[in-house]
Amino acid sequence: MDTRNFSLRHVGISKEDLPEMLHTVGVDSVDALLKEVYPNDIFLPKEIELPEPMTERELSEHMTELASRNTPYTSYIGLGWYDCITPAVIRRNVLENPVWYTSYTPYQAEISQGRLEALFNFQTVITELTGLPLTNCSLLDEATAGAEAAMLLFNRRSREQVKRGANKLFVDKRLFETTIAVINTRIVHQGMELVVGDYKETELTDEFFGVMLQYPDSVGAINDYPDFVAAIKEKGLTCAVAADLMSLVMLTPPGEWGADVVFGSAQRFGIPMYYGGPSAGYLACRMEYKREIPGRIIGLSKDAYGHPAYRLALQTREQHIKRERATSNICTAQALLASMSGFYAVYHGADGLIEIARRIHSYAGHLAKAAEELGYKQYNANFFDTLLFQLPEGKTTEELHRIALEYRVNLRYFECQNCFGVSIDETTLPEDLNILLQIFAETVGKEAPTLSDVPTDTLFVDKKWQRKSTFLQYDTFNKYRTETELMRYIKRLDRKDISLAHSMISLGSCTMKLNAAAELDVLSNPYFGNIHPYAPDDQAEGFLEMLHNLEGYLAAITGFDATSLQPNSGAAGEYTGLSTIRAYLIDKGETQRDVVILPASAHGTNPASASQAGFKTIIVDTDDKGDVDMEDFMKKTEQYKDHIAAIMITYPSTHGIFESNIVAICRRIHDCGGQVYMDGANMNAQVGYTNPGFIGADVCHLNLHKTFAIPHGGGGPGMGPICVKSHLKPFLPKHIVRYGNGANQVSAAPFGSAVIAGITYSYIRLLGIEGLKRATATAILNANYMAQRLKDTYGIVYSGEKGRVGHELILECRKLKEATGCDENDVSKRLMDFGYHAPTLSFPVHGTLMIEPTESESKAELDRFIEVMECIFQEAQEVAQGKADKEDNVLKNAPHPQYEVCADEWKHSYPRSKAAFPLPYLNDNKFWINVARIDNGFGDRNLLPAMCDCDAFFAELKEQQQQ
């Protein structure tokens, strides 16, 4: 074995495994298999040019060299990003722990209780600090949360407002520029009009439906909003408030003065700035908005025996079910970062958070007083952490800027030449305040005052803005103040979850591949972590080189000419690609093109994304083989020929096959004047052998958290960059702060979640083109191997023209249900007893399971999973044969939690050993589940999204159990 070749570490199949696998599949070589999988006309004619692969040592040295060219200055820029402290116990035990970062979105709740509890903690933090009862378990960032808030207010219009066509949203000019830009990108496609102005001067007519404010505002001032909010409520308008989460520790929560929605970022709760991301956005609202709130809600329910259990509530995969009628296309969010922010609050508790917030505020106030002694004027009468200064007469920020850089300090500068801003943060020390005063003094030619023993609890804000309500008084936020206790709490939670650290996660269309440790080192490097996204470019040279190179690599791999890294998720990438197409068509004057053609086999979020981008969707049927029905396709493209903006097509399709007509489909759309959008969700089956650009697409997005090794993190972070042909390049997202142009902006930061792009960069540099091709080929081999092994039991729903699947396969479970009464959900739950996460359930075909083994799994793991599936199949046959009861059997009662298996009483007709140890390997490696099958209906009927109602909930459950 060549220990320097990283692809041998990434790919699970060895050369010794190949003969048996190829024999099972029925081919002589991997190349022969690929020729039966791919249509002949899509193979690339020449090799993609990428750098030669690195060893892990070479990558480490290379990333260290890039990091050395980043210079983390002390940044007081603010504007949504603040330096903070990530407690080492959280960094080591969550961020760097594969149980947390390799787990999937917790749709299978019984094996996700740990991260569900962690996200429930996060939701509790958000509801308690905002003063509103309902929240989701994170959004992509503050600006995206603002766009979702705008949509939420629009969807909550009264009947009268809808009837009179109220479509204007008033946004106060004091919101962050980035938030306004992203809101504008989103709402313009939905028939809304954005009106930006001064809330103190505006007159809101019947054309308006809602208002947005910022608290504290973009320059740090705390404005007197309550009377204004009360006045708009009398007119029937709703109000959303962007709020600094740390400020709400000491300021009156917006929910207490009338806000209907509060949104923002949890970044300063323990997440590095990361040159812009990732960090968790948040959105809280009134309980009556529970059917419209976007994203995922963690709720408390009960299991089959009445024990409390967490689960995803209400919106679970809502965009896949409602499709184009969905209120949002949110899929991936920021679960890992939200969990970390939740643990940050657990570790510090209310007392610790109050100390941090008051210290930040007190330092800001004492700095302001000292600066005023030097002749500076500070404008914010009430503030939390951010000060707005005016230089003494005759002085400009040009000299201030020069001196500040000499001290390695970044301040916020305005267009006016005599004003600047300073945002104090958790990391600020008295020495830092004195450096600031030295800069101020040198600028005006005076001697600097010295602050010593700076008080940490002085309040400079009016009493009416000081928070009076208590928060986070629950045991969870008071028990884990020592590192030992928090470490053990985190460990107790991670023992409840199945991740890639335990076993293969075979989720179809999710690509749960290896997230190599060497690739993730970038996340813990402070020279990548402590850079503000608005820092001057010469302070981020290493970062910018990495991002620029990655854009080029992704363009080369996809066959396109340009890349935007801005979208923060796959669904955001879909939306961005469609918005780019729309901007291009508008520029051409083809505004009548408002239709997106969608094959029924398209990826699940496509209809919602198309709708959010303002397009009508026309669905094209699939034939019996799972391909696009060409007759229906030709009929509908002819019918809508002059209105087609684009087709959104997933390739290989979500049915797991490479459609042979793909080139003809692309050509036909172009002949109709439309653009081809290729969804990159299944790009793991293309890399190196074909690509969207060569096939005929104009734009695609990539799920870097699938194909390119960014971990899923229990539901995020993700990244969905888009790659485009040259004619679309001018319409890629801009950024209002970096470029002075917010056209098509979709994320708060210029490069989206910049630091995790380093994971993909590392993945490509480690593998090179040969390693990437090996990964692609092995993923396809593994899927076909499993298809051959399982076709005679469950059956395979779709295969290509030559009887092959792509990189995933759909298992037929409908016949199993007809014969045994056991359905795909029962199979999924039974898999948990074997220590496995279920495949994708009832998607894209109801009554089926979709499996994607990826290239990273060993043959031994594939064989073990196949053995488990065959065992479950035989257990179901026992029901059909009358050997097992139709209701009291191991599938219907699965999963079997530890408390049930170990109880003195056993009520089932089958033995404990069959329930818990059906195969020998489990005697050595048993994953114990801590809850039985969860009652989903109960959780939806009794929505409990935070700890505030839990005492009553637990009391009711206890009473039910006693009865």
Side-chain angles (χ1 to χ4, degrees), residues 348-405:
H348 291 305
D351 293 344
L353 293 176
I354 289 170
E355 188 277 329
I356 292 168
R358 287 196 173 184
R359 171 161 41 88
I360 291 169
H361 171 72
S362 183
Y363 282 3
H366 287 289
L367 175 67
K369 287 179 63 177
E372 286 170 349
E373 294 175 7
L374 292 169
Y376 289 76
K377 182 176 181 180
Q378 202 285 115
Y379 279 100
N380 294 334
N382 285 285
F383 55 85
F384 168 59
D385 65 338
T386 298
L387 307 170
L388 177 59
F389 286 111
Q390 182 181 30
L391 283 155
E393 188 175 350
K395 302 295 181 180
T396 68
T397 53
E398 183 178 353
E399 180 68 4
L400 174 72
H401 191 182
R402 183 188 64 78
I403 295 170
L405 290 178

Side-chain angles (χ1 to χ4, degrees), residues 419-441:
C419 291
F420 67 98
V422 176
S423 293
I424 302 301
D425 59 53
E426 178 188 3
T427 69
T428 304
L429 300 171
E431 304 92 272
D432 298 314
L433 300 179
N434 285 320
I435 289 173
L436 285 170
L437 291 173
Q438 184 65 39
I439 294 168
F440 297 170

Side-chain angles (χ1 to χ4, degrees), residues 888-905:
D888 186 27
N889 62 68
V890 288
L891 275 84
K892 290 294 181 184
N893 293 326
H896 298 82
Q898 184 178 25
Y899 71 77
E900 179 189 26
V901 174
C902 297
D904 292 337
E905 185 179 10

Side-chain angles (χ1 to χ4, degrees), residues 111 141 775 839 910:
I111 50 171
D141 62 19
Y910 49 89

